[in-house]
Amino acid sequence: MKKVFLVLLLLVPVCMLAEDTIDRLFRPHELRIGYGDPLYETMVWHESPTYFTLEKTINYRYTGHIFAEYQYRQNQWFSYGGKLDYQQVFWEKELPGDDQYIYSKCNFVDVSLIPTVRFTFFWSEWVNLYCGLGVGMLINGGTEKDYKGRKVAAAPVIDLSLLGVSVGKGMFFGTFEIGGLISHVSKEEIYMVGSRMMAASFGIRF
C-alpha cells in the first residue's frame, strides 16, 4: 500500500505537466487587449511657450497606447502573431487675435501594425515568463505638417518585450510587460523612442 501511495505521489507532477501540455494543444490561439503608458509622449509633447513667435501650445491630452495582439502558440516556448497599436495626442495652439486669443485644435495619431514573435523561457500551470520582438510599420498623421510638408508619413517600428509575465490558468489570463516601441527614420523624423515602456493586458486562449 505504501509503495502504491509513493508511486501516485510521484506521478502528480507528471500528470500536472501533461494536463498543461494538453491544454496548450487544445488552446493554441491567444487574443489580448491592453494599454501602455504615454510616458514618452508626455515628456516630448507638453505645454511650453515659444519665445521666437507669439504662438503657444497648451492643453495637451494623451490617449496612451491602446493595443490588440494575436499569438499562435506553436509549442511551449515559441509563438508568433501580430499586434495593432494605436495612440493619439491632442493639444491647442494659442494665437493672439485683435481683441482676444484664437485657439486652434491640433492632434496627431500613430497607428502601428507589427508582426511579432514571442519566446517563453519559463512556464508553469499559472505563470509564464517570456520576451518578444516585433518589426513592422508605423503610420503617423494629424493636423500638422512635417518638415517635408506631409500630413501623413510612414516609418519602420520596432516592438521590444524585454520581460513579460502572463498569469492565468485555462482560457483567461492577464499580462504585464516591460519593453518599448522605437520608430524613427532620421533626426528630423523621430516618432517614438522608448515609448510604451510598461503595458498591461487581458486575454483569452481558445
Side-chain angles (χ1 to χ4, degrees), residues 5-172:
F5 179 75
L6 182 60
V7 171
L8 291 174
L9 188 63
L10 292 173
L11 284 175
V12 168
V14 178
C15 293
M16 289 176 62
L17 180 60
E19 287 175 358
D20 187 59
T21 303
I22 291 172
D23 186 64
R24 289 175 186 276
L25 289 174
F26 280 98
R27 295 191 181 101
H29 308 280
E30 280 189 1
L31 183 63
R32 61 190 182 114
I33 298 174
Y35 180 81
D37 70 87
L39 180 61
Y40 170 78
E41 288 75 22
T42 59
M43 292 175 60
V44 175
W45 301 87
H46 55 84
E47 182 174 332
S48 59
T50 304
Y51 296 104
F52 299 103
T53 68
L54 297 176
E55 181 181 294
K56 181 180 179 181
T57 55
I58 59 173
N59 297 333
Y60 278 91
R61 288 96 65 203
Y62 315 87
T63 63
H65 290 264
I66 303 165
F67 65 91
E69 183 175 10
Y70 166 79
Q71 288 280 314
Y72 179 79
R73 297 185 293 167
Q74 185 73 34
N75 50 45
Q76 282 189 319
W77 63 271
F78 178 74
S79 64
Y80 59 89
K83 182 183 293 183
L84 178 65
D85 185 276
Y86 167 90
Q87 71 144 338
Q88 194 164 2
V89 177
F90 307 86
W91 72 95
E92 295 176 1
K93 286 181 181 178
E94 184 183 87
L95 300 168
D98 295 334
D99 300 320
Q100 59 184 358
Y101 284 102
I102 301 171
Y103 296 94
S104 174
K105 295 184 181 298
C106 308
N107 71 83
F108 75 80
V109 60
D110 289 326
V111 178
S112 301
L113 185 60
I114 313 168
T116 58
V117 293
R118 183 186 298 173
F119 305 94
T120 302
F121 54 87
F122 172 83
W123 55 85
S124 68
E125 194 175 6
W126 279 91
V127 178
N128 295 332
L129 301 180
Y130 62 88
C131 58
L133 174 66
V135 180
M137 182 67 67
L138 173 141
I139 304 297
N140 172 271
T143 58
E144 308 304 290
K145 293 182 179 181
D146 65 8
Y147 73 107
K148 292 183 178 180
R150 302 173 300 181
K151 283 193 174 184
V152 178
V157 60
I158 297 174
D159 180 12
L160 296 175
S161 297
L162 301 178
L163 177 62
V165 181
S166 174
V167 180
K169 179 182 177 182
M171 291 183 62
F172 303 102

